[in-house]
Amino acid sequence: MKRAAGILMHISSLPGKYGIGTLGKNAYEFANFLKKSGQTLWQILPIGPTSFGDSPYQSFSVHAGNPYFIDLELLCEDGLLSKIDCNHFNFGDSPINVDYKKIYDNRFKLLKKAFMSFKDSRDTQFNKFKLENRAWLFDYSLFMAVKSHYNMAPWHNWPDENIKTRTADSVEYYSELLKNEIEFFMFLQYLFYSQWAKLKKYVNSLGIKIIGDMPIYVGLDSADTWSYPEVFWLDCNKKPVKVSGCPPDGFSPKGQLWGNPLYNWKYLKSTNYSWWINRIKTVNKLFDITRIDHFRGFDSYYAIPFGANDATCGEWLNGPGIDFFNMLKEKLGDISIIAEDLGFLTASVKKLLKDTGYPGMKVLQFAFESQKENDYLPHNYVKNSIAYTGTHDNDTIVGWFKNGRKNDILHAVEYGALNETEGYSWGLIRLCYASVSKAVIIPMQDFLGLDSRSRMNIPSTVGGNWTWRVLKEQITDDLADKIKHLTKLYGRI
C-alpha cells in the first residue's frame, strides 16, 4: 500500500430515510464524497446482524449481513415494496440518531412484505445464492427461524432440549415446521449480499478500497456457537467455562466484561483451523482489507470465569500464535489485514505482529497520557502502521479536548503546535496525515468537528451506543476540498 488516507464511518451512520444508514443511494453518494476528497480507503465497523445492545461486535453470525442495511428504496425500484409501504412506518424521530427499537419493531414487517412479493416471481439468482452459500446459510437461517419461533430467546434458553442440542430429528422437524421462515431469512441474506456486491463494485471502481472489521470473538447467542459448539470452550451443558474481556485499563477501572465464549484452540488446531479459515474466506470476499479486532488475543487472551460480575478476576492464557497465521497463509495466500494491536502489548504480541507482517494501529488520542513517551506519539510511528485520531471506542477529538485531563490537553497543544485558528480537530488530523504511517484513517465526526454527543461507543456501557448518523447537508464539497488539500499536502494521493 502506498501512502493513503481514508475515513471511518459505519454504514449505519449514513444519512437517508427510514431510520438507519443503508446500502442504497446515500452510500454511493458518500463514496463519491470520498473520491472528491482524495480518499482511497473507506473503513466501516462489522456488518453482521446485531443482537442485544445493538453492538456490531455482538452478532448472530460471522457470515451473515445485517438486514437493517438492506435499502428499502432499492426494493421499491425492484417492485418488491412501494413508497406507501415504507412511509407507513415510523423508524425514528431523529435524523442524527438510530432508534433501534423502532427499527426492530417495523423493519422486518416491511421485509416480510417484500418477501411475499418476491415469492410471486421466483428468481433463479436466489437459488444460485443459496447453493453457493449452503455451508453457512441454512444453519444461520434455521437458527434465526427457531429464535423467532421462541420469541427471540437465546438458543441456550430454548424450551426444546432437542433443538437446543441440534439432534438430527429436531433439525428435520423444525426445518419442516418453519420452512417459510427459514426461506425468509435466506431471502434477507440474498438481498443484503446482492446490494453489498453492487455497492462494493461501485466503490472499487472509484479507486477506493473498503476496510471491514472482524471481531475476534462471536456472540454466545449466535448461529456459530449453536452450530459448532466444539469450536468453543463450553462445558457439558454447553455453557461457557470462561468468557472474553480485558483487564482494567484507561477505559474502565474494572476492566471490560465482553462475555463472548472463548475458543477451544486445541480442537481448532486439530482441524487446521478450518472454522476460522472459512470465516476469513467470507470476510475476504466482502472487504478489500480486513481489520482484525483485538489481535493480541491470538497471542494471549484474557479469560474471565463465566458468571463473574466484572473483569477483575481474569487470567491471561496462551493463544495459537504464529501457527494460526501460517496456516491462514497456506490456505488463503497473502490477504490484506490490519491488526488492532491497541492496549498493553507484551514482547510476544509485538513479535507476533512483526512475524505476520501486518500493520498495527496508532491512535493519537493515546499519545498524550501524562506526558509520557509512548508509541502513539507520531515521532515514534513506523511506516507499517495505520494512524487514527481515534477509533469507535474513543471520544471525538472535540469531546476529548473538552473532557480530557488538563495536562494531556496541554501536552497535545504544545506537541502539535495547535491553535484555535486552525482548530484543534484539524491540528490533530494534520499530525496523523504528516506521520510516516502508510495510511491514515480519520473518523467522520472528527472531520466535522463534532462533540461527545456524536461518539459511537462508550466501552463497558449498554444502551445509547452505535446510534450516531451524519446529516446529508454536512457532507459538502467545501469539506471535500479541505480534506483533499490536506491529503495532497502530505503525499497521500
Side-chain angles (χ1 to χ4, degrees):
M1 184 191 297
K2 66 177 184 178
R3 280 177 68 81
I7 294 177
L8 167 60
M9 189 167 79
H10 194 33
I11 301 297
S12 64
S13 296
L14 290 165
K17 295 181 178 180
Y18 311 127
I20 194 169
T22 67
L23 305 176
K25 177 183 177 182
N26 287 288
Y28 289 78
E29 290 182 352
F30 184 70
N32 292 336
F33 171 81
L34 291 169
K35 180 70 173 178
K36 288 178 187 174
S37 305
Q39 307 298 284
T40 52
L41 300 169
W42 178 4
Q43 182 169 331
I44 59 175
L45 302 182
I47 57 175
T50 50
S51 58
F52 176 75
D54 308 307
S55 169
Y57 294 88
Q58 293 282 357
S59 178
F60 289 134
S61 170
V62 300
H63 299 283
N66 193 338
Y68 293 166
F69 298 159
I70 296 169
D71 186 72
L72 301 180
E73 292 179 298
L74 290 177
L75 298 188
C76 291
E77 291 178 12
D78 292 338
L80 298 178
L81 291 174
S82 71
K83 292 284 181 69
I84 295 175
D85 293 329
C86 298
N87 294 332
H88 177 71
F89 295 99
N90 179 3
F91 293 102
D93 302 318
S94 170
I96 59 172
N97 290 109
V98 179
D99 187 330
Y100 282 104
K101 184 179 187 309
K102 288 183 178 177
I103 295 286
Y104 175 78
D105 288 342
N106 294 319
R107 204 168 194 88
F108 284 101
K109 294 174 184 176
L110 270 174
L111 293 172
K112 285 193 174 180
K113 189 174 181 66
F115 176 56
M116 296 308 296
S117 299
F118 182 80
K119 286 177 69 177
D120 295 334
S121 55
R122 291 267 178 190
D123 189 330
T124 55
Q125 291 298 103
F126 181 37
N127 290 325
K128 182 182 178 183
F129 173 78
K130 288 192 289 186
L131 187 63
E132 290 175 345
N133 295 278
R134 61 188 180 277
W136 64 268
L137 185 60
F138 174 76
D139 283 336
Y140 165 73
S141 301
L142 174 61
F143 171 80
M144 293 303 299
V146 178
K147 273 186 73 67
S148 297
H149 181 69
Y150 286 122
N151 199 29
M152 296 305 289
W155 67 264
H156 43 276
N157 289 339
W158 291 345
D160 186 340
E161 287 291 328
N162 291 321
I163 192 61
K164 191 159 69 173
T165 56
R166 279 182 62 92
T167 65
D169 287 346
S170 69
V171 169
E172 182 178 352
Y173 170 76
Y174 282 94
S175 297
E176 184 60 33
L177 177 69
L178 305 175
K179 184 177 181 179
N180 194 61
E181 195 74 0
I182 292 168
E183 192 82 352
F184 168 64
F185 283 105
M186 289 183 173
F187 169 70
L188 294 186
Q189 291 308 302
Y190 170 65
L191 291 181
F192 175 89
Y193 269 79
S194 299
Q195 291 188 2
W196 177 265
K198 291 175 183 176
L199 174 62
K200 184 177 183 296
K201 183 178 180 180
Y202 181 76
V203 172
N204 290 162
S205 76
L206 300 178
I208 299 166
K209 293 181 178 180
I210 296 176
I211 303 175
D213 200 333
M214 185 182 71
I216 186 173
Y217 296 120
V218 306
L220 174 60
D221 186 28
S222 67
D224 311 286
T225 314
W226 176 63
S227 301
Y228 301 98
E230 65 277 5
V231 165
F232 303 93
W233 191 3
L234 308 179
D235 64 19
C236 59
N237 296 314
K238 297 194 176 180
K239 291 184 178 180
V241 176
K242 295 193 176 185
V243 294
S244 65
C246 67
D249 58 16
F251 277 128
S252 176
K254 291 191 175 182
Q256 297 179 42
L257 178 57
W258 302 331
N260 309 77
L262 298 171
Y263 293 106
N264 183 344
W265 284 114
K266 183 177 180 181
Y267 169 81
L268 283 163
K269 182 180 174 68
S270 73
T271 66
N272 290 327
Y273 307 103
S274 61
W275 181 88
W276 260 103
I277 300 298
N278 288 331
R279 180 185 186 186
I280 294 179
K281 275 184 184 177
T282 293
V283 298
N284 203 36
K285 290 177 183 176
L286 290 168
F287 312 129
D288 301 298
I289 303 167
T290 299
R291 171 191 178 272
I292 298 182
D293 190 54
H294 199 60
F295 176 82
R296 75 152 301 162
F298 290 98
D299 175 73
S300 58
Y301 55 93
Y302 197 63
I304 304 162
F306 180 61
N309 293 321
D310 57 46
T312 56
C313 55
E315 62 177 332
W316 288 103
L317 300 173
N318 291 329
I322 194 63
D323 183 63
F324 169 74
F325 294 102
N326 288 338
M327 183 58 65
L328 179 62
K329 185 172 183 178
E330 179 183 323
K331 295 292 185 181
L332 301 183
D334 289 317
I335 58 177
S336 297
I337 286 175
I338 296 170
E340 188 273 283
D341 59 338
L342 305 176
F344 176 74
L345 302 182
T346 62
S348 60
V349 178
K350 293 179 180 178
K351 183 177 186 305
L352 179 61
L353 182 64
K354 183 179 179 180
D355 289 345
T356 61
Y358 302 147
M361 293 174 57
K362 302 297 182 184
V363 177
L364 193 54
Q365 277 192 38
F366 298 153
F368 308 108
E369 297 175 354
S370 303
Q371 302 189 42
K372 293 180 180 177
E373 182 74 10
N374 66 47
D375 291 340
Y376 298 113
L377 286 165
H379 65 263
N380 289 325
Y381 289 4
V382 295
K383 285 185 178 181
N384 193 32
S385 65
I386 315 296
Y388 295 78
T389 48
T391 73
H392 60 274
D393 282 335
N394 290 99
D395 203 342
T396 65
I397 293 178
V398 169
W400 181 73
F401 272 102
K402 182 178 179 180
N403 304 315
R405 293 178 295 192
K406 184 177 180 180
N407 286 342
D408 297 352
I409 303 305
L410 292 174
H411 186 199
V413 170
E414 181 181 15
Y415 181 93
L418 306 183
N419 61 82
E420 293 183 359
T421 301
E422 178 187 28
Y424 286 174
S425 279
W426 285 94
L428 290 193
I429 290 168
R430 170 174 48 79
L431 286 180
C432 284
Y433 266 75
S435 73
V436 298
S437 296
K438 64 181 179 181
V440 55
I441 307 289
I442 306 298
M444 189 65 179
Q445 295 97 313
D446 288 343
F447 276 128
L448 294 171
L450 302 177
D451 62 23
S452 301
R453 291 171 294 181
S454 299
R455 71 181 291 178
M456 280 300 280
N457 181 49
I458 301 175
S460 297
T461 65
V462 177
N465 296 314
W466 320 108
T467 67
W468 175 76
R469 298 182 71 198
V470 70
L471 293 172
K472 194 168 186 175
E473 53 265 33
Q474 292 175 305
I475 306 174
T476 66
D477 288 342
D478 285 345
L479 179 60
D481 291 342
K482 191 173 182 180
I483 296 171
K484 188 170 186 177
H485 172 75
L486 199 66
T487 309
K488 278 186 173 181
L489 184 63
Y490 291 107
R492 295 190 178 276
I493 292 182

